[in-house]
Amino acid sequence: MALLKTHVALNVTDIEKSVIFYRAMFGVESVKYKDDYAKFDISSPALNLTLNLAPSVQAGGALSHLGVQVESTEEVRSAIQRFTEAGLALFTEDDTDCCYALQDKVWVTDPDGNRWEVFVVKVADTAPEKNVVGQAVNKSCCA
């Protein structure tokens, strides 16, 4: 397989505000921008992101949040600077234990309420003693 790129399609209620947000989020221009559609073709991370105009967007749903993992705290700081320069509201966390990993991160929210984090993992597993090992998944009903 020569190309492996994730595709995320988001419904948005204001295409212009969303394009402005995602331009700042990823630091790139859209490759396609129509009245009801926009596409960002992002090389790092490899992402095909499309925005589709919808009359409404249901808040919440099954999606918790979206994220971009970077390689260093400096890259998190670069995202913070980019978001600040774009006037985005942000929330930062340094040395936070999240998902059993030590991380630095910055959070932003798009115009339709989708939460994004840009984060670096500094310690991969902060609670290795809690790993589930050797537990039977399929137990016989008659055992």
Side-chain angles (χ1 to χ4, degrees):
M1 186 178 297
L3 174 69
L4 184 60
K5 183 178 276 196
T6 300
H7 171 61
V8 174
L10 295 175
N11 288 330
V12 301
T13 57
D14 187 319
I15 200 82
E16 183 180 359
K17 284 182 182 177
S18 295
V19 166
I20 291 168
F21 174 86
Y22 285 103
R23 182 183 301 138
M25 174 74 195
F26 291 106
V28 299
E29 294 294 328
S30 59
V31 295
K32 203 179 287 184
Y33 186 2
K34 313 289 185 190
D35 289 339
D36 62 349
Y37 176 87
K39 177 181 178 182
F40 288 85
D41 190 12
I42 303 153
S43 60
S44 182
L47 177 64
N48 172 339
L49 174 69
T50 60
L51 309 175
N52 303 284
L53 188 61
S56 66
V57 174
Q58 182 178 356
L63 179 66
S64 169
H65 66 277
L66 301 154
V68 176
Q69 183 174 350
V70 295
E71 293 183 0
S72 69
T73 295
E74 290 73 28
E75 289 176 275
V76 174
R77 300 282 174 248
S78 177
I80 291 169
Q81 181 178 350
R82 188 170 65 250
F83 299 159
T84 301
E85 289 171 359
L88 301 179
L90 56 91
F91 174 73
T92 61
E93 294 179 280
D94 294 323
D95 293 322
T96 187
D97 194 332
C98 177
C99 303
Y100 300 99
L102 186 66
Q103 304 174 20
D104 289 340
K105 57 177 70 183
V106 58
W107 291 90
V108 289
T109 303
D110 81 3
D112 288 293
N114 292 304
R115 294 177 31 213
W116 282 86
E117 65 175 330
V118 175
F119 67 100
V120 61
V121 174
K122 298 163 75 172
V123 176
D125 193 345
T126 57
E129 71 282 359
K130 292 184 178 182
N131 289 338
V132 178
V133 179
Q135 288 192 357
V137 176
N138 295 320
K139 294 183 180 178
S140 171
C141 66
C142 302

